[in-house]
Amino acid sequence: MRHILLAAGASALMATSAFAQTNPPAAAQATNPLLADWTGLYGGVPPWDKVKPELFPAAFEVSLAERAADYRKIADNPAAPTFANTFVPMQLAGQRYGRVMTLFGVMTGNMNSPAYQGLDREWSPKFAAASDAITFDPKLFARIEAVNAARAKLDPQQQRLVTRTYDSYVRQGAKLDATQKAQLSAYNQQLASAFSDFSRRLLADENTAITVTDEAQLAGVPDSVKAVAKAAAAERGQTGWAIVNTRSAIDPVLTFATDRGLREKVWRAFVNRGDNNDANDTNATIAKIVKLRADRAHLLGFKTHADWRMQDTMAKTPTAAMDLMMRVWPAAKARVAEEVRDMQAIADKSATKITIEPWDYRFYQEQVRKSRYDLDQAQLKPYFELNNIIQGSLYAANRLYGLNFKEITGTVPVFEPNMRVWHVTDRAGKEVGLFYRDDFARSGKRSGAWANTYRGQRKLAPAQTVLSSNNNNFAKGAKGEPILISLDDAQTLFHEFGHAIHAMLQDVTYPGLAGTPRDFVEFPSQVNEHWLLTRDVLDKYARHYQTGAAMPQALLDKIEASKTFNQGFATTEYLSSAIVDMKLHTIANGVVDPDAFERATLAEIGMPKELVMRHRLPQFNHLFSSDSYSAGYYSYLWSETMDADTFAAFEEAGSPWDKATADRFARILLSTGNETDRAAAYRAFRGRDPDVNALLAKRGFPITGVAPPAGVTR
């Protein structure tokens, strides 16, 4: 997470060192439930029912002090550095702090009230300073360096942990001098504050809504979507319908509303989030973040932020990532031109002559879909009832990987009453952990869909099981009404569940080898999407919510026939965002006017005028709420290259349920965390590097003449 300017880097180091001299007050631990060990069945569970914002400041102070003391003890150990007396205790240090930060991170993502926003704003720089104090400790780094120099004596997993830890500390500034460390810490604290500021501003814009009082304006919009808008208005104490400024609420209106004026209105509100020259405008914050990132990269010896960020990725360099993106970009852009021609032909036949604009794209693509494939998205929704699709995802995980799910909702604490929880065991009946679902949009919850791991698996004593969660923003309608989701939403559900499966199948000893490179992270989740439309899942779970009938084969055939439909739009809106991200973070001096840069870059690559980036810079949460996806949004495409090629392995084996392939996939790629190089692991699974042709075929793009990027085969 993040930490407040104590003053400057040097002051922050001194303040954190003082923490190390303080023993955590026993009284605070006894009275503050956030500091208590997680108790109960399943290896202990988070006390979500006791979490309150006012409890966090004391919990932060105590857990930060305890973590600092843990590392101080390691650094001050008079014995010669060894793996056992340095790296093992480092793997276990700061566990109370980790639990507190899990609680805080989940609340700021899911229940982000002004109180939590205030805490985030105040404490984010303090967290950054405290982490820097550990990284910059010369005595601790000397021990890491000594063990690294003698790592040849260790077993392969220990060697990898030592090497990765040493490299990470160097990348984070451990070898800088005292003045440079102070400057770096100042940068990190300022960035932490800016990330918090960006998130607060964007959330405020996403909590706005467009009110409709005349139902005639909603002509064409399905009743289920109108019911959601009605409920949103009631929640806000309004009459009529409220179209909340989030993707899940906006997209159905853009797809189905026949009122072009309404489509334009909601589109403009959505694409201008954070870009309205008002109190929630994010442009100045973005400019500050990009400049600080560039300055930090220079201090650490790198030409650009992208060069620094990509050291620990599969792609390795900005050039390799750009190479893959720019090889796909021309085909995507050409397909957009074809799609627009098809849409314009239909528009030209309408009574009102229009030229396709961005707020028309989804509406007219739906008309083309109906015309070409006799497929109406409204036909599909009755088969995708949320509870049934959830059960389908659990069924697929059981059949593929032997995971068993028993719902225990109501027996463990949750932070929101609509959450559901499952107890998970493996084929042998051994406990894997718990899986939580938080599916519905609400005020204070950030937009999009994501996975959290409340507690990661490890075999290092004391061993622990997994607590994993999925978080979506599905629209919850009126009480008692069925919750029907779109095909796209169902694919999102399977996608996020792929992250959970990855966490639940993990089988590593050291927590430091659990996390995978950014451009591998999305791979397991993208692979999991493939099982949604298997006939077995559809027959058992995608049944009509009224009649109980399975989806007719004729309807599935239409879906299959239209799989590559609209891939120009989908690929171009995503890739434009990824390209702009990479180009933004390869600006050497980091000086940028975000709006002007966005316009210029899109013009340079020839962005079609009929659509916009999936995430414009002023609302690009992936990039500016933390460092995590910065210079890394390309990773979805990198992962999809592996994903498409992986599912091809199942097809080559003759069935999406082929047990031998599923077992190899789980054993080599899903369970191993980062215990081995991920590119080498992929080669061990597939016998070669991923084939870019599988990606192109999946998207329906021409293959001839497309050369593979570095590390990817034809």
Side-chain angles (χ1 to χ4, degrees):
M1 295 302 300
R2 308 131 39 193
H3 259 337
I4 204 165
L5 282 164
L6 295 172
S11 300
L13 296 181
M14 292 172 59
T16 308
S17 296
F19 278 149
Q21 310 303 319
T22 305
N23 292 319
Q29 292 188 47
T31 59
N32 191 327
L34 306 190
L35 290 167
D37 293 341
W38 293 356
T39 59
L41 298 175
Y42 319 114
V45 296
W48 295 120
D49 55 334
K50 297 183 175 69
V51 176
K52 299 176 182 177
E54 60 269 24
L55 295 173
F56 277 103
F60 292 152
E61 290 189 10
V62 169
S63 60
L64 278 167
E66 187 173 85
R67 183 181 68 160
D70 288 346
Y71 279 98
R72 183 82 271 130
K73 183 177 179 181
I74 299 167
D76 290 344
N77 188 342
T82 65
F83 183 85
N85 69 18
T86 301
F87 278 81
V88 170
M90 283 177 66
Q91 293 293 286
L92 300 173
Q95 293 187 74
R96 192 185 312 278
Y97 173 75
R99 290 194 297 270
V100 170
M101 292 308 294
T102 292
L103 299 175
F104 185 61
V106 169
M107 298 312 286
T108 56
N110 292 276
M111 307 290 284
N112 204 5
S113 65
Y116 282 113
Q117 292 175 18
L119 286 168
D120 193 40
R121 197 161 50 247
E122 176 188 354
W123 281 88
S124 288
K126 296 180 184 179
F127 301 147
S131 294
D132 285 343
I134 293 167
T135 304
F136 298 163
D137 187 323
K139 292 180 71 175
L140 178 65
F141 184 66
R143 296 184 71 85
I144 294 170
E145 204 167 25
V147 177
N148 182 60
R151 67 184 182 277
K153 303 173 185 177
L154 303 174
D155 69 36
Q157 282 190 36
Q158 292 171 341
Q159 287 187 35
R160 185 161 176 80
L161 177 63
V162 169
T163 301
R164 287 184 54 75
T165 303
Y166 173 80
D167 290 347
S168 175
Y169 269 66
V170 172
R171 246 187 344 265
Q172 300 298 327
K175 283 191 169 184
L176 299 178
D177 64 32
T179 301
Q180 291 171 322
K181 286 177 179 176
Q183 181 62 69
L184 179 57
S185 189
Y187 288 153
N188 287 339
Q189 291 174 65
Q190 291 171 56
L191 278 165
S193 292
F195 295 152
S196 178
D197 183 52
F198 177 89
S199 297
R200 175 185 60 80
R201 292 170 185 264
L202 180 57
L203 182 63
D205 261 11
E206 290 181 337
N207 279 338
T208 60
I210 292 170
T211 302
V212 175
T213 55
D214 181 1
E215 190 171 3
Q217 281 190 279
L218 296 172
V221 176
D223 289 342
S224 59
V225 175
K226 289 197 288 186
V228 168
K230 191 73 151 176
E235 181 186 346
R236 286 165 167 74
Q238 300 171 345
T239 57
W241 299 262
I243 303 168
V244 184
N245 205 9
T246 60
R247 191 176 302 279
S248 60
I250 294 291
D251 278 2
V253 176
L254 292 175
T255 302
F256 298 110
T258 58
D259 187 323
R260 192 177 188 228
L262 178 64
R263 294 202 307 268
E264 180 178 359
K265 187 175 182 179
V266 299
W267 180 86
R268 290 193 182 280
F270 186 68
V271 302
N272 287 322
R273 288 167 298 147
D275 195 25
N276 294 300
N277 197 29
D278 58 11
N280 296 327
D281 195 282
T282 62
N283 283 286
T285 305
I286 292 169
K288 180 179 181 180
I289 289 171
V290 175
K291 181 68 171 81
L292 285 166
R293 283 172 169 164
D295 291 345
R296 178 178 60 184
H298 298 158
L299 183 60
L300 288 164
F302 293 89
K303 181 181 177 182
T304 70
H305 175 72
D307 290 292
W308 176 66
R309 280 289 296 161
M310 294 188 68
Q311 292 298 296
D312 187 30
T313 63
M314 296 180 75
K316 301 298 183 188
T317 67
T319 300
M322 283 296 296
D323 185 43
L324 176 60
M325 291 191 287
M326 295 312 295
R327 290 181 189 281
V328 177
W329 177 253
K333 197 169 62 166
R335 182 59 55 81
V336 167
E338 295 172 10
E339 292 170 1
V340 170
R341 282 197 297 271
D342 291 341
M343 293 188 292
Q344 190 64 58
I346 289 180
D348 288 345
K349 296 175 183 175
S350 63
T352 306
K353 305 298 183 187
I354 65 144
T355 299
I356 299 295
E357 298 285 357
W359 49 88
D360 300 314
Y361 209 115
R362 283 182 172 82
F363 180 80
Y364 280 98
Q365 80 182 18
E366 190 63 15
Q367 309 310 305
V368 174
R369 191 197 312 267
K370 291 176 186 176
S371 171
R372 181 175 300 168
Y373 302 104
D374 190 26
L375 180 62
D376 183 342
Q377 290 296 308
Q379 290 177 266
L380 300 178
K381 267 196 168 186
Y383 294 96
F384 293 116
E385 195 278 324
L386 176 60
N387 295 324
N388 290 342
I389 300 306
I390 290 171
Q391 291 303 315
S393 69
L394 304 181
Y395 163 81
N398 172 263
R399 186 168 174 185
L400 286 165
Y401 310 116
L403 294 172
N404 301 294
F405 297 85
K406 179 183 178 182
E407 186 159 6
I408 60 166
T409 300
T411 66
V412 296
V414 292
F415 56 79
E416 210 282 328
N418 290 303
M419 288 181 70
R420 299 172 67 184
V421 189
W422 286 261
H423 180 225
V424 189
T425 54
D426 65 12
R427 283 191 177 102
K430 181 181 176 183
E431 182 167 284
V432 171
L434 298 184
F435 172 59
Y436 296 71
R437 293 198 66 91
D438 174 24
D439 279 315
F440 302 114
R442 60 180 171 270
S443 297
K445 186 178 184 181
R446 70 178 175 90
S447 63
W450 64 96
N452 283 132
T453 301
Y454 303 157
R455 182 178 67 210
Q457 171 274 342
R458 70 161 185 253
K459 289 188 288 192
L460 180 67
Q464 59 187 32
T465 56
V466 177
L467 302 177
S468 180
S469 82
N470 277 181
N471 309 270
N472 291 291
N473 269 282
F474 301 139
K476 185 172 175 60
K479 187 175 181 179
E481 293 292 320
I483 301 166
L484 306 180
I485 61 176
S486 66
L487 173 59
D488 184 61
D489 282 342
Q491 289 168 330
T492 297
L493 187 153
F494 267 68
H495 176 100
E496 296 307 332
F497 190 53
H499 286 301
I501 290 171
H502 191 194
M504 289 185 279
L505 291 180
Q506 182 179 284
D507 186 27
V508 304
T509 298
Y510 303 108
L513 294 179
T516 58
R518 173 56 61 196
D519 44 13
F520 185 91
V521 166
E522 298 297 335
F523 166 51
S525 54
Q526 289 176 223
V527 170
N528 200 58
E529 292 180 35
H530 289 277
W531 277 271
L532 169 65
L533 292 178
T534 56
R535 189 72 255 186
D536 204 32
V537 168
L538 292 175
D539 285 347
K540 287 181 170 65
Y541 299 100
R543 306 186 75 88
H544 196 286
Y545 81 101
Q546 289 173 317
T547 68
M551 181 182 288
Q553 184 61 42
L555 186 54
L556 178 59
D557 289 344
K558 292 176 184 179
I559 295 173
E560 293 293 338
S562 68
K563 264 189 173 180
T564 60
F565 174 72
N566 205 42
Q567 279 299 317
F569 173 83
T571 306
T572 302
E573 69 158 8
Y574 156 72
L575 259 187
S576 58
S577 298
I579 292 167
V580 168
D581 163 38
M582 190 60 70
K583 285 182 173 287
L584 180 72
H585 288 110
T586 50
I587 298 173
N589 66 8
V591 176
V592 65
D593 173 337
D595 269 345
F597 176 83
E598 179 181 295
R599 288 193 299 272
T601 304
L602 294 178
E604 174 193 338
I605 63 176
M607 178 72 165
K609 66 179 181 60
E610 294 86 3
L611 70 165
V612 294
M613 298 162 62
R614 182 166 181 83
H615 305 288
R616 291 191 56 235
L617 290 179
Q619 65 246 193
F620 211 156
N621 222 357
H622 290 74
L623 305 192
F624 305 119
S625 62
S626 72
D627 274 329
S628 62
Y629 274 92
S630 60
Y633 199 59
Y634 77 90
S635 61
Y636 288 90
L637 189 69
W638 191 274
S639 292
E640 191 178 350
T641 305
M642 296 185 289
D643 138 48
D645 194 48
T646 294
F647 195 69
F650 282 89
E651 293 176 321
E652 290 162 14
S655 169
W657 306 103
D658 183 70
K659 186 176 186 303
T661 306
D663 287 348
R664 279 193 306 111
F665 181 46
R667 185 180 71 254
I668 297 172
L669 286 166
L670 296 183
S671 69
T672 49
N674 208 349
E675 290 181 336
T676 58
D677 176 77
R678 293 294 82 192
Y682 190 89
R683 285 191 290 271
F685 166 69
R686 200 69 171 99
R688 54 167 173 73
D689 286 321
D691 185 354
V692 70
N693 285 346
L695 166 67
L696 295 169
K698 177 184 174 183
R699 292 188 175 242
F701 295 159
I703 292 171
T704 305
V706 179
V712 178
T713 70
R714 277 293 292 266

